Amino acid sequence: MIETSSRQRMLVLAICCMSLLIVSLDNTVLNVALPTMRTELDASVAGMQWTIDAYTLVLASLLMLMGSTADRIGRRKVFVTGLVLFTAGSVLCSLAPGLEWLIAFRMVQAVGGAMLNPVAMSIITNTFTDPAQRARAIGVWGAVAGISMAAGPLIGGLLVDSVGWRSIFWVNLPVGLLALVLTLRHIPESRAARPRRPDPVGQVLIMVLLGCVTYGIIEAPSAGWSSPVIVGCVLVSVVALVGLLVYEPRREEPLIDFRFFRSVPFSGATVIAVSAFASMAGFLFLNTLYLQDVRNLDALNAGLYMLPMAAMTLVIAPLSGRLVGSRGPRLPLLIAGSAMGASGLLFAVFRGETSTPLLFTGYVLFGIGFGMVNAPVTNTAVSGMPRSQAGVAAAIASTSRQTGSTLGVAVVGAVLAAGMADGRDFTEAAVPAWWIITLCGALVLVLGAASTGAWALRTADRTARALEEPASPVAEMGAPRA
């Protein structure tokens, strides 16, 4: 790979972070608008779940396909297409005449978003080749998630209260267009020297698996777990999972290379990502509904209430990147699991939402935990993997996050809906959901300790050697030039 200048590396990082900002900001802005949208669109809790999960579900389903496609046909080409689709989808969402159209247009957005995150991480991985620099760059990348958490509720609340919920999708337009112009001018085309071939069967199996699981969880409280539709979803999900486990290892170049999971740190990072982002998505979903439906705050004040959580994420994420670069992922993961678990415990045991001091304490703890978790997860996913497969490795990490977000909203929303259907008030109905969030934090803590020990690191070394490709005089085609 030809080295890039420091200035160009920073410019590439800035463009990639802009793409992450609009993809992440879109969900945090939407969360604070949910109660208003629910009233204006006459939607149920399940309908609100679908406005979020239709987006994250499509993202999770397509990330690995888009990562490998970018490695094959060109990262810049796929990245530009993603920016165009995401921006156009945002315009369509702002014009949606009803809930069904909004959900459909959210899926258009998600197709574009699936072309952005894994490709951007692949570009970063191939631009920042020094491990310490890459860890710091990923820390900055994680801080952007904090910015979206900080800015999303405030921008969303201001727009919803002053203009209306449709205006929340306008935020993506200037950022998306600026990122598009800068990409066309400053990011050269690059692709893997030996990319993987398409795997349509594997892609269909992944979409069927995630779609059926999500649909079953969201619709079960109203349809009933024993209804034919839900039972059918369970059976189809099992068949799709078995199909993946049987079919993919038989392919010479599978969509999901299960050899990656021989690395205990990589496998641990994947499960940690699912747990952490399920916790985050469920946490935001519960708090948004509580602050506006129970405390009767308007959208802007609800956003201001959640500012301590977002601010801590913004401050902690770059620190996490530096810790990963200097001391490895163990300490950030232990802090993340402890803080997220403690936050969930405040709400599950002490009813933290009923006391403003406890509420803010829970927000600060969760912000610290979530700020710590992203950098070690991302760095572990891409470190040690061949750069020619950087898009696939990064896509698996991104898929884990979106799968976690999808399941978090689906499970927490289903538990809440079931509790309220039994006649309990919001606070009582949410207790099982808070326990789920607590257990997610505990899982991050346990896996963070188990996947970063000496034995785990030895499995990572063996996996990296097994995945190494034959040496090539040109590691990357079209690498950025100084």
Side-chain angles (χ1 to χ4, degrees), residues 115-180:
M115 298 180 180
L116 297 178
N117 280 7
V119 180
M121 182 52 64
S122 180
I123 292 171
I124 290 174
T125 303
N126 283 277
T127 301
F128 293 86
T129 56
D130 176 74
Q133 287 185 351
R134 182 172 58 231
R136 286 192 290 271
I138 291 172
V140 174
W141 173 267
V144 172
I147 294 172
S148 71
M149 289 182 67
L154 292 175
I155 295 173
L158 181 61
L159 289 174
V160 170
D161 285 348
S162 60
V163 183
W165 65 263
R166 296 179 185 275
S167 63
I168 63 177
F169 296 104
W170 301 345
V171 178
N172 300 324
L173 304 185
V175 181
L177 291 174
L178 178 59
L180 178 61

Side-chain angles (χ1 to χ4, degrees), residues 349-360:
V349 176
F350 301 103
R351 305 295 193 273
E353 67 270 35
T354 62
S355 165
T356 299
L358 283 181
L359 182 73
F360 286 144

Side-chain angles (χ1 to χ4, degrees), residues 77-270:
K77 185 182 301 181
V78 172
F79 193 72
V80 166
T81 304
L83 287 169
V84 171
L85 270 179
F86 190 88
T87 305
S90 299
V91 174
L92 292 173
C93 286
S94 71
L95 302 174
L99 179 64
E100 293 78 10
W101 281 106
L102 176 61
I103 291 172
F105 294 148
R106 290 279 288 162
M107 296 173 73
V108 174
Q109 272 188 306
V111 174
M115 298 180 180
L116 297 178
N117 280 7
V119 180
M121 182 52 64
S122 180
I123 292 171
I124 290 174
T125 303
N126 283 277
T127 301
F128 293 86
T129 56
D130 176 74
Q133 287 185 351
R134 182 172 58 231
R136 286 192 290 271
I138 291 172
V140 174
W141 173 267
V144 172
I147 294 172
S148 71
M149 289 182 67
L154 292 175
I155 295 173
L158 181 61
L159 289 174
V160 170
D161 285 348
S162 60
V163 183
W165 65 263
R166 296 179 185 275
S167 63
I168 63 177
F169 296 104
W170 301 345
V171 178
N172 300 324
L173 304 185
V175 181
L177 291 174
L178 178 59
L180 178 61
V181 171
L182 291 176
T183 299
L184 292 172
R185 291 188 61 183
H186 297 289
I187 294 185
E189 187 60 278
S190 66
R191 57 179 61 85
R194 296 180 60 192
R196 295 173 183 271
R197 292 194 296 268
D199 180 8
V201 174
Q203 181 60 54
V204 170
L205 288 173
I206 288 174
M207 295 176 70
V208 170
L209 173 62
L210 294 177
C212 287
V213 168
T214 304
Y215 184 89
I217 293 173
I218 290 178
E219 298 297 333
S222 58
W225 285 100
S226 60
S227 69
V229 173
I230 303 303
V231 172
C233 283
V234 173
L235 293 176
V236 173
S237 299
V238 171
V239 171
L241 177 60
V242 172
L244 275 173
L245 295 176
V246 172
Y247 176 77
E248 290 294 284
R250 296 170 180 263
R251 280 184 57 87
E252 182 179 349
E253 294 181 344
L255 181 64
I256 303 177
D257 192 337
F258 287 114
R259 292 181 301 166
F260 285 3
F261 296 96
R262 295 175 186 172
S263 165
V264 172
F266 183 89
S267 298
T270 301

Side-chain angles (χ1 to χ4, degrees), residues 27-35 146-154 156-157 280-292 295 297-314 347 359-360 362-368 434:
N27 260 347
T28 55
V29 169
L30 180 65
N31 259 285
V32 79
L34 288 178
I147 294 172
S148 71
M149 289 182 67
L154 292 175
M280 182 273 294
F283 194 95
L284 288 178
F285 188 81
L286 283 177
N287 276 285
T288 297
L289 294 179
Y290 170 77
L291 291 173
Q292 297 188 54
R295 289 210 174 191
L297 298 176
D298 58 30
L300 178 58
N301 281 310
L304 288 171
Y305 258 67
M306 289 187 283
L307 187 58
M309 174 178 60
M312 292 309 301
T313 300
L314 176 62
F347 294 95
L359 182 73
F360 286 144
Y363 286 173
V364 169
L365 285 172
F366 196 88
I368 292 172
W434 288 120

